[in-house]
Amino acid sequence: ARALAAQAQSLDELREILDGYNGCGLKFRATQLVFADGNPQAEIMLIGEAPGGEEDRIGRPFVGRSGQLLDRMLKAIGLDRTRVYIANTVPWRPPGNRAPTPEEMALCLPFLNRQVELVAPRIILSLGGPATKTVFNTDIGILKMRGKWAEVTLGNHKAMGLATLHPAYLLRTPSAKQQAWRDLLTLQARMEEMGIVGGA
Ligand code: URA
Protein backbone atom coordinates (compact mmCIF):
# COMPACT_ATOMS: atom_id res chain seq x y z
CA ALA A 1 0.00 0.00 0.00
CA ARG A 2 2.84 2.38 0.83
CA ALA A 3 4.53 1.87 -2.55
CA LEU A 4 1.22 2.34 -4.36
CA ALA A 5 0.38 5.48 -2.40
CA ALA A 6 3.85 6.91 -3.04
CA GLN A 7 3.22 6.72 -6.80
CA ALA A 8 0.48 9.33 -6.55
CA GLN A 9 1.73 12.75 -7.62
CA SER A 10 -1.65 14.43 -7.19
CA LEU A 11 -4.85 13.93 -5.22
CA ASP A 12 -6.62 12.82 -8.42
CA GLU A 13 -3.99 10.14 -8.94
CA LEU A 14 -4.27 9.07 -5.32
CA ARG A 15 -8.03 8.77 -5.61
CA GLU A 16 -7.64 6.61 -8.70
CA ILE A 17 -5.04 4.37 -7.10
CA LEU A 18 -7.16 3.98 -3.97
CA ASP A 19 -10.21 3.16 -6.06
CA GLY A 20 -8.29 0.30 -7.65
CA TYR A 21 -6.76 -0.96 -4.39
CA ASN A 22 -8.17 -4.30 -3.22
CA GLY A 23 -6.09 -4.72 -0.07
CA CYS A 24 -8.71 -3.56 2.42
CA GLY A 25 -11.80 -5.74 2.74
CA LEU A 26 -14.04 -2.79 3.59
CA LYS A 27 -14.11 -1.89 -0.09
CA PHE A 28 -16.08 -5.00 -1.02
CA ARG A 29 -18.99 -4.25 1.30
CA ALA A 30 -19.16 -0.54 0.55
CA THR A 31 -21.06 1.18 -2.27
CA GLN A 32 -18.20 3.44 -3.28
CA LEU A 33 -15.00 5.17 -2.28
CA VAL A 34 -15.48 8.23 -0.06
CA PHE A 35 -12.25 10.09 -0.76
CA ALA A 36 -12.54 13.68 0.42
CA ASP A 37 -14.43 16.93 0.41
CA GLY A 38 -13.47 20.56 0.64
CA ASN A 39 -10.55 22.55 -0.66
CA PRO A 40 -7.31 20.69 -1.52
CA GLN A 41 -5.45 23.99 -1.04
CA ALA A 42 -6.80 24.49 2.47
CA GLU A 43 -4.43 25.11 5.37
CA ILE A 44 -6.68 23.13 7.70
CA MET A 45 -7.41 19.42 7.22
CA LEU A 46 -10.08 17.56 9.18
CA ILE A 47 -9.77 13.82 9.65
CA GLY A 48 -12.85 11.84 10.67
CA GLU A 49 -13.36 8.16 11.38
CA ALA A 50 -15.17 6.42 8.56
CA PRO A 51 -18.00 7.07 6.11
CA GLY A 52 -21.53 6.26 7.29
CA GLY A 53 -24.64 5.42 5.29
CA GLU A 54 -25.21 8.80 3.64
CA GLU A 55 -21.52 9.23 2.86
CA ASP A 56 -21.46 5.76 1.28
CA ARG A 57 -24.49 6.63 -0.83
CA ILE A 58 -23.28 10.06 -1.95
CA GLY A 59 -19.53 9.50 -2.04
CA ARG A 60 -18.48 12.48 0.09
CA PRO A 61 -17.44 12.62 3.75
CA PHE A 62 -19.66 14.14 6.41
CA VAL A 63 -22.86 14.64 4.46
CA GLY A 64 -25.21 12.96 6.97
CA ARG A 65 -26.44 14.24 10.33
CA SER A 66 -23.02 14.47 11.89
CA GLY A 67 -21.83 16.32 8.80
CA GLN A 68 -24.57 18.89 9.25
CA LEU A 69 -23.43 19.42 12.82
CA LEU A 70 -19.83 19.63 11.63
CA ASP A 71 -20.83 22.36 9.16
CA ARG A 72 -22.45 24.34 11.99
CA MET A 73 -19.36 23.90 14.15
CA LEU A 74 -17.13 25.18 11.34
CA LYS A 75 -19.44 28.09 10.65
CA ALA A 76 -19.26 29.16 14.29
CA ILE A 77 -15.59 29.95 13.81
CA GLY A 78 -15.90 31.42 10.34
CA LEU A 79 -15.03 28.27 8.38
CA ASP A 80 -16.77 26.29 5.71
CA ARG A 81 -15.86 23.61 3.19
CA THR A 82 -14.14 26.08 0.92
CA ARG A 83 -11.59 26.67 3.71
CA VAL A 84 -10.97 23.13 4.97
CA TYR A 85 -10.20 19.76 3.43
CA ILE A 86 -11.95 16.71 4.90
CA ALA A 87 -10.99 13.03 4.82
CA ASN A 88 -11.42 9.94 7.01
CA THR A 89 -9.09 7.32 8.49
CA VAL A 90 -10.70 4.79 6.15
CA PRO A 91 -12.37 5.74 2.85
CA TRP A 92 -15.00 2.96 2.77
CA ARG A 93 -18.00 2.50 5.03
CA PRO A 94 -17.57 -0.29 7.58
CA PRO A 95 -20.57 -2.66 7.46
CA GLY A 96 -23.39 -1.54 9.73
CA ASN A 97 -21.45 1.61 10.63
CA ARG A 98 -19.23 -0.23 13.08
CA ALA A 99 -15.92 1.42 13.97
CA PRO A 100 -13.04 0.55 11.64
CA THR A 101 -10.70 -2.00 13.19
CA PRO A 102 -7.08 -1.09 13.96
CA GLU A 103 -6.07 -3.44 11.10
CA GLU A 104 -8.35 -1.67 8.63
CA MET A 105 -7.03 1.71 9.71
CA ALA A 106 -3.44 0.47 9.43
CA LEU A 107 -4.08 -0.86 5.91
CA CYS A 108 -5.46 2.49 4.79
CA LEU A 109 -2.91 4.64 6.63
CA PRO A 110 -0.36 4.83 3.77
CA PHE A 111 -3.06 6.40 1.62
CA LEU A 112 -4.11 8.85 4.33
CA ASN A 113 -0.45 9.75 4.86
CA ARG A 114 -0.02 10.45 1.15
CA GLN A 115 -3.24 12.46 1.12
CA VAL A 116 -1.87 14.61 3.96
CA GLU A 117 1.45 15.04 2.13
CA LEU A 118 -0.33 16.19 -1.03
CA VAL A 119 -2.65 18.62 0.78
CA ALA A 120 0.15 19.74 3.12
CA PRO A 121 -2.11 21.43 5.68
CA ARG A 122 -0.62 23.57 8.48
CA ILE A 123 -3.27 22.39 10.94
CA ILE A 124 -4.86 18.96 11.29
CA LEU A 125 -8.04 18.60 13.37
CA SER A 126 -8.85 15.01 14.31
CA LEU A 127 -12.46 14.16 15.05
CA GLY A 128 -13.08 11.53 17.71
CA GLY A 129 -11.09 8.67 19.21
CA PRO A 130 -10.04 6.51 16.25
CA ALA A 131 -8.94 9.48 14.12
CA THR A 132 -7.05 10.93 17.07
CA LYS A 133 -5.23 7.66 17.66
CA THR A 134 -4.19 7.65 14.02
CA VAL A 135 -3.23 11.32 13.73
CA PHE A 136 -1.35 11.53 17.04
CA ASN A 137 -0.03 7.97 16.82
CA THR A 138 -1.17 7.30 20.37
CA ASP A 139 -3.30 4.94 22.42
CA ILE A 140 -4.44 7.68 24.77
CA GLY A 141 -8.20 8.23 24.77
CA ILE A 142 -9.90 11.19 23.11
CA LEU A 143 -11.11 12.72 26.39
CA LYS A 144 -7.49 13.11 27.50
CA MET A 145 -6.14 14.12 24.09
CA ARG A 146 -8.70 16.74 23.08
CA GLY A 147 -8.05 20.44 23.18
CA LYS A 148 -4.24 20.31 23.31
CA TRP A 149 -1.89 21.13 20.45
CA ALA A 150 0.90 18.81 19.47
CA GLU A 151 3.08 18.55 16.41
CA VAL A 152 1.97 15.57 14.34
CA THR A 153 3.68 13.80 11.46
CA LEU A 154 1.77 11.93 8.76
CA GLY A 155 3.94 10.48 6.05
CA ASN A 156 6.69 13.08 5.68
CA HIS A 157 4.46 16.03 6.49
CA LYS A 158 4.47 17.82 9.84
CA ALA A 159 1.55 19.92 11.01
CA MET A 160 0.08 21.22 14.24
CA GLY A 161 -2.52 18.74 15.45
CA LEU A 162 -5.58 19.32 17.59
CA ALA A 163 -8.12 16.69 18.61
CA THR A 164 -11.77 17.30 19.33
CA LEU A 165 -14.89 15.24 19.93
CA HIS A 166 -16.63 13.59 17.01
CA PRO A 167 -19.87 15.30 15.89
CA ALA A 168 -21.69 11.93 16.07
CA TYR A 169 -20.70 11.72 19.74
CA LEU A 170 -21.94 15.28 20.27
CA LEU A 171 -25.31 14.30 18.78
CA ARG A 172 -25.57 11.48 21.32
CA THR A 173 -24.09 13.49 24.19
CA PRO A 174 -25.19 17.11 23.85
CA SER A 175 -23.63 18.00 27.23
CA ALA A 176 -20.20 17.45 25.65
CA LYS A 177 -20.76 20.31 23.21
CA GLN A 178 -19.19 22.71 25.72
CA GLN A 179 -15.89 20.88 25.43
CA ALA A 180 -16.05 20.84 21.65
CA TRP A 181 -16.82 24.55 21.68
CA ARG A 182 -13.69 25.20 23.73
CA ASP A 183 -11.67 23.18 21.22
CA LEU A 184 -13.10 25.24 18.36
CA LEU A 185 -12.09 28.45 20.11
CA THR A 186 -8.62 26.98 20.60
CA LEU A 187 -8.49 26.30 16.87
CA GLN A 188 -9.73 29.77 16.01
CA ALA A 189 -7.11 31.44 18.23
CA ARG A 190 -4.34 29.44 16.60
CA MET A 191 -5.63 30.25 13.12
CA GLU A 192 -5.42 33.93 14.00
CA GLU A 193 -1.88 33.50 15.35
CA MET A 194 -0.84 31.70 12.19
CA GLY A 195 -2.48 34.25 9.93
CA ILE A 196 -5.03 31.76 8.61
CA VAL A 197 -8.22 33.62 7.90
CA GLY A 198 -11.66 32.31 8.68
CA GLY A 199 -14.72 33.57 6.89
CA ALA A 200 -17.04 36.45 7.66
N1 URA B 1 -18.46 10.22 10.43
C1 URA B 1 -17.16 10.22 10.06
O1 URA B 1 -16.27 10.00 10.86
N2 URA B 1 -16.88 10.47 8.80
C2 URA B 1 -17.79 10.75 7.89
O2 URA B 1 -17.43 10.98 6.75
C3 URA B 1 -19.15 10.75 8.29
C4 URA B 1 -19.45 10.48 9.56
Side-chain angles (χ1 to χ4, degrees):
R2 192 169 311 147
L4 271 177
Q7 286 172 17
Q9 298 306 314
S10 68
L11 290 164
D12 284 343
E13 283 179 26
L14 184 64
R15 180 201 289 262
E16 235 172 83
I17 289 169
L18 198 47
D19 213 16
Y21 174 66
N22 292 330
C24 177
L26 287 176
K27 174 181 180 178
F28 303 102
R29 312 242 340 239
T31 306
Q32 60 182 320
L33 178 72
V34 177
F35 184 66
D37 198 18
N39 182 351
Q41 257 103 50
E43 307 209 76
I44 304 171
M45 178 164 174
L46 274 51
I47 300 181
E49 184 173 325
E54 277 297 286
E55 289 77 21
D56 181 65
R57 197 169 66 76
I58 293 173
R60 274 194 294 137
F62 284 102
V63 291
R65 270 188 79 216
S66 47
Q68 289 161 18
L69 177 56
L70 179 64
D71 285 338
R72 291 199 296 278
M73 291 163 68
L74 292 174
K75 192 168 176 206
I77 55 167
L79 291 173
D80 60 27
R81 292 186 192 219
T82 68
R83 294 169 194 272
V84 300
Y85 182 84
I86 308 177
N88 283 304
T89 58
V90 298
W92 295 283
R93 179 199 190 196
N97 293 345
R98 64 165 169 75
T101 65
E103 293 71 33
E104 288 160 350
M105 291 194 291
L107 277 170
C108 295
L109 184 58
F111 299 102
L112 180 66
N113 282 340
R114 188 69 189 134
Q115 203 169 6
V116 170
E117 287 173 3
L118 290 166
V119 176
R122 293 168 72 197
I123 290 177
I124 296 178
L125 182 69
S126 65
L127 302 169
T132 296
K133 287 183 176 164
T134 300
V135 168
F136 290 80
N137 192 22
T138 182
D139 279 323
I140 301 172
I142 177 66
L143 295 177
K144 283 224 168 96
M145 288 299 294
R146 56 153 284 274
K148 293 178 284 224
W149 292 101
E151 189 177 76
V152 295
T153 306
L154 283 95
N156 60 25
H157 183 74
K158 284 190 197 327
M160 288 311 296
L162 182 70
T164 192
L165 303 171
H166 195 289
Y169 174 77
L170 298 176
L171 288 171
R172 294 192 303 270
T173 319
S175 60
K177 283 184 183 172
Q178 282 182 29
Q179 289 168 290
W181 176 237
R182 258 182 269 141
D183 301 339
L184 290 173
L185 293 178
T186 300
L187 171 60
Q188 189 178 36
R190 189 68 167 233
M191 283 164 49
E192 275 166 23
E193 263 172 54
M194 292 171 82
I196 299 173
V197 279

